[in-house]
């Protein structure tokens, strides 16, 4: 799947004053067989995944139901305020049905916010600024034995790791601008490490500390932590080997004299 590229940004960030802060964390992730779990607490929010799970994603071959595994990408969205939609795009360029405990497993993702109160082509000054000051991504496993591993963790200031050389940021320390089309955040080729042999699935928990403008150019912001979850199926090494077709030998024709 082709990687998405963030547009170059040229407009400076507006002065801001942080007002309301409502933070909540995520507790232990339980084994899930769907797309979006219920998140405890009131300040953390979750979204719904666009599209529906196809037959192959719910068939017996998947131990851990996953749109990401079925499609190679997933695009959950959530309204963090009235008609202010945060979208997380997660994808891989690998064959997801080859994701076994020992295989190299890599994913990429983009985070952006869209102000749907105004048309997409509206002036940027008519849109509410949204900043992200921290991004945490945690992978936890579900195994047949019940043992839980954390094969991938990320906890960082997005400004420090953004791929955009001209990223726009808040002068008041609210982080990286992620309002489209001038803002956004992208990371590529994030590696999930070696897993236990009885691993059935991995749950990615994206936790984003977001500050959104209460009205365009108001310079007043509300801060919260937004969670998005992406389940990924993991296949056993034996099942993957059995599913690999044995090449059929090609008969070399007898040359004609």
């Amino acid at each position: 799947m082709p990687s998405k590229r963030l547009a170059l940004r040229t407009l400076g960030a507006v002065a801001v004053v942080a007002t309301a802060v409502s933070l909540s964390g995520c507790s232990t992730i339980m084994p899930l067989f769907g797309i979006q779990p219920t998140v405890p607490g009131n300040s953390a929010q979750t979204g719904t995944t666009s599209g529906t799970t196809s037959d192959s994603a719910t068939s017996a071959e998947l131990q851990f139901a996953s749109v990401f595994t079925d499609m190679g990408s997933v695009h959950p969205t959530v309204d963090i305020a009235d008609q202010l939609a945060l979208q997380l795009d997660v994808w891989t360029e690998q064959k997801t049905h080859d994701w076994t405990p020992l295989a190299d497993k890599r994913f990429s993702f983009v985070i952006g916010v869209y102000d749907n109160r105004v048309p997409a082509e509206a002036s940027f000054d008519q849109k509410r600024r949204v900043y992200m000051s921290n991004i945490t991504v945690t992978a936890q496993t579900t195994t047949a034995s019940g043992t839980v591993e954390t094969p991938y963790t990320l906890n960082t200031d997005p400004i420090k790791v953004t791929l955009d050389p001209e990223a726009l940021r808040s002068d008041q320390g609210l982080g990286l601008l992620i309002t489209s089309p001038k803002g956004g955040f992208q990371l590529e080729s994030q590696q999930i490490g070696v897993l236990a042999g009885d691993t059935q699935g991995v749950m990615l928990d994206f936790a984003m500390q977001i500050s959104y403008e209460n009205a365009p150019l108001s310079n007043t912001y509300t801060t919260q932590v937004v969670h998005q979850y992406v389940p990924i199926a993991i296949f056993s090494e034996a099942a993957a080997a059995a599913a690999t077709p044995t090449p059929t030998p090609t008969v070399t024709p007898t040359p004609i004299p």
Side-chain angles (χ1 to χ4, degrees):
M1 174 177 296
S3 300
K4 302 181 182 177
R5 302 295 178 191
L6 299 175
L8 294 179
R9 293 103 178 161
T10 57
L11 186 61
V14 178
V16 294
V17 178
T19 57
V21 177
S22 173
L23 301 179
S24 67
C26 179
S27 58
T28 301
I29 298 176
M30 301 299 291
L32 299 173
F33 294 89
I35 303 307
Q36 294 298 331
T38 300
V39 178
N42 295 325
S43 59
Q45 301 186 25
T46 58
T48 56
T49 302
S50 59
T52 57
T53 306
S54 70
D55 290 340
S56 61
T58 56
S59 67
E61 70 175 333
L62 286 187
Q63 298 171 295
F64 200 82
S66 169
V67 171
F68 178 87
T69 299
D70 189 42
M71 304 299 294
S73 66
V74 68
H75 314 279
T77 61
V78 59
D79 280 344
I80 57 177
D82 180 36
Q83 298 186 66
L84 193 61
L86 181 146
Q87 179 167 318
L88 169 67
D89 297 301
V90 187
W91 73 94
T92 181
E93 297 180 357
Q94 299 172 312
K95 295 180 179 179
T96 53
H97 284 242
D98 291 338
W99 281 35
T100 63
L102 299 181
D104 184 40
K105 302 169 284 292
R106 297 177 183 269
F107 66 95
S108 303
F109 65 94
V110 166
I111 298 169
V113 173
Y114 301 86
D115 191 344
N116 295 321
R117 279 185 180 174
V118 295
E121 64 273 12
S123 166
F124 197 69
D125 285 344
Q126 300 179 46
K127 300 178 180 181
R128 289 164 284 180
R129 268 62 164 178
V130 180
Y131 295 93
M132 180 169 64
S133 58
N134 187 264
I135 172 72
T136 299
V137 185
T138 304
Q140 287 193 345
T141 63
T142 295
T143 63
S145 64
T147 302
V148 176
E149 295 180 314
T150 306
Y152 172 88
T153 57
L154 172 72
N155 185 5
T156 188
D157 179 347
I159 292 175
K160 295 180 179 179
V161 295
T162 180
L163 297 178
D164 187 357
E166 298 184 7
L168 299 179
R169 63 194 69 191
S170 163
D171 292 334
Q172 280 69 31
L174 295 182
L176 179 74
L177 180 70
I178 57 172
T179 301
S180 178
K182 293 183 179 294
F185 176 72
Q186 177 174 340
L187 275 184
E188 295 185 351
S189 195
Q190 301 300 292
Q191 185 179 34
I192 298 174
V194 173
L195 307 175
D198 64 341
T199 301
Q200 298 170 325
V202 172
M203 181 67 73
L204 293 179
D205 175 7
F206 293 80
M208 299 151 280
Q209 184 162 310
I210 302 296
S211 297
Y212 64 86
E213 199 171 24
N214 297 316
L217 302 181
S218 69
N219 293 337
T220 61
Y221 286 78
T222 297
T223 301
Q224 64 179 303
V225 173
V226 179
H227 286 267
Q228 291 284 45
Y229 297 88
V230 177
I232 303 173
I234 300 297
F235 299 88
S236 71
E237 304 288 344
T244 303
T246 302
T248 302
T250 302
V251 177
T252 303
T254 302
I256 300 175

